[in-house]
Amino acid sequence: MKLVDHFATGLDAPICLTWELTYACNLACLHCLSSSGRRDPRELSTEECKAVIDELQRMQVFYVNIGGGEPTVRSDFWELVDYATAHQVGVKFSTNGVRIDQAAAERLAASDYVDVQISLDGATAEVNDAVRGDGSHEMAVRALGHLQDAGFRDAKISVVCTRQNIGQLDLFKELADRFGATLRLTRLRPSGRGADVWDDLHPLPHQQRELYDWLVAHGDNVLTGDSFFHLSAFGSALPGLNLCGAGRVVCLIDPVGDVYACPFAIHDEFLAGNLRDAGFQAVWQGSELFAELRKPQTGGACSSCQHYDSCQGGCMAAKFFTGLPLDGPDPECVQGYGETALASVGGREVPRPTGDHSHKGGVRGGPVMLTLSTRRPDRQPERACEENPLAGLTV
């Protein structure tokens, strides 16, 4: 049996899991997969987070990919990073750079077990800030500069590929080289707020081919996180597992302890359980949903396609949130079958992501400037997201 076949039927522990520590965020990116903005006061406490890390250590999970929201706005963020690395759980965290000042960069440079991904969705401010908010490009580049000055090696520049930035791939690579960083490209999914902008942001068919050709030429030096296995139907398979790892080798822990099969599928349909009930291991190894996902897949409508072995039918989340059946073609199928399938959906209502933590008042035009406040300890919030997410942070 090939190694990839073992992965397809699931492992005793995930190779990597994504852990969103908080929904709080100083930005309001148009395509945010978790619709982040406001903190949920039910989020796991420091001690609960440490208990999760203890469990991951026992399960021998290699590392966690920490995100949000903006994870660095949690007051215990560095405490949790230090606790994880002290317990042999490596940390990779994604940030927009808001708290990566020179002191933070020097702290990171002193650690061998922490990796940093700076999110940037345009090689120029004009393209990036239209999606991530005014000033966010400058903030990210400033963070990269601090990391370089501190001697931090091999930071990652994490790019969500959109219709607007596909033509900037060479510029992204030049930017990464300038800062001694590695470029990481990921696929746009119609998840979270991304569902609302999918039609405007997802790459056009000719851009999918442009992206594939670029990855073939530069793939040895660019990370993709297996985002683009649907492109393999163009020809040779791209580097990586080239399969959907949802519930098999990856999963998501959200801020309140809910465990989802995939970071891009935050919906009750893909909710495996809550780790507050019996712990993460019980969910990973005992969930009925995960057991179902680990069964051999038939390929459904795609099984007769000559490219199925390469693309494996594409992305589960992309299908679900565009209203397509999970055993059908990917909406961005490069052989054109997705376009036909989407046309058949017609005016049918598509699923909506579970939960919306977006800032109130429609602040997508730029970074969120909040009036900082504190909650009286004797009063609980009346609503789940009432509490100020950035208390103590100067933006």
Side-chain angles (χ1 to χ4, degrees), residues 33-275:
L33 66 91
S34 58
S35 300
S36 286
R38 295 171 289 160
R39 175 183 177 268
D40 189 327
R42 299 172 301 162
E43 68 186 28
L44 300 175
S45 68
T46 302
E47 292 310 310
E48 285 178 312
C49 288
K50 288 182 177 179
V52 173
I53 293 169
D54 290 340
E55 205 169 5
L56 298 181
Q57 180 188 26
R58 291 193 295 271
M59 295 174 69
Q60 297 183 313
V61 173
F62 297 151
Y63 71 94
V64 292
N65 187 2
I66 291 178
E70 172 52 46
T72 63
V73 304
R74 269 191 66 139
S75 60
D76 59 359
F77 173 73
W78 295 109
E79 180 181 352
L80 293 175
V81 169
D82 289 344
Y83 189 85
T85 57
H87 288 75
Q88 294 81 50
V89 178
V91 172
K92 176 187 293 183
F93 72 92
S94 299
T95 175
N96 56 45
V98 65
R99 280 194 159 173
I100 307 300
D101 56 15
Q102 197 59 47
E106 291 172 358
R107 177 174 187 160
L108 289 165
S111 174
D112 293 329
Y113 302 100
V114 183
D115 199 8
V116 186
Q117 293 184 166
I118 305 294
S119 298
L120 196 65
D121 293 331
T124 59
E126 179 183 12
V127 173
N128 177 83
D129 292 6
V131 173
R132 302 187 62 82
D134 295 338
S136 56
H137 183 276
E138 179 183 1
M139 183 169 64
V141 171
R142 183 169 58 245
L144 288 165
H146 287 319
L147 290 167
Q148 185 179 48
D149 292 344
F152 185 90
R153 296 184 178 180
D154 198 27
K156 308 299 185 292
I157 297 178
S158 184
V159 178
V160 177
C161 291
T162 66
R163 187 175 305 176
Q164 290 72 24
N165 68 24
I166 288 292
Q168 296 188 320
L169 294 173
D170 287 336
L171 292 177
F172 279 122
K173 188 65 171 63
E174 290 174 9
L175 187 67
D177 291 343
R178 171 183 155 196
F179 287 103
T182 295
L183 181 60
R184 181 177 187 269
L185 302 179
T186 60
R187 183 183 177 186
L188 173 72
R189 270 87 164 190
S191 307
R193 287 197 293 267
D196 297 326
V197 297
W198 167 260
D199 289 337
D200 296 321
L201 294 188
H202 81 92
L204 297 170
H206 74 274
Q207 293 178 311
Q208 299 278 0
R209 181 74 207 206
E210 181 182 352
L211 173 59
Y212 173 79
D213 290 342
W214 195 90
L215 286 172
V216 169
H218 302 278
D220 290 342
N221 301 309
V222 175
L223 303 176
T224 63
D226 282 312
S227 285
F228 303 109
F229 55 91
H230 72 294
L231 298 182
S232 296
F234 275 131
S236 301
L238 295 169
L241 293 179
N242 285 300
L243 60 80
C244 173
R248 300 180 179 101
V249 296
V250 300
C251 68
L252 168 78
I253 300 174
D254 84 349
V256 301
D258 282 337
V259 181
Y260 293 90
C262 169
F264 304 103
I266 303 176
H267 189 279
D268 289 344
E269 189 84 9
F270 304 104
L271 177 60
N274 188 288
L275 56 79

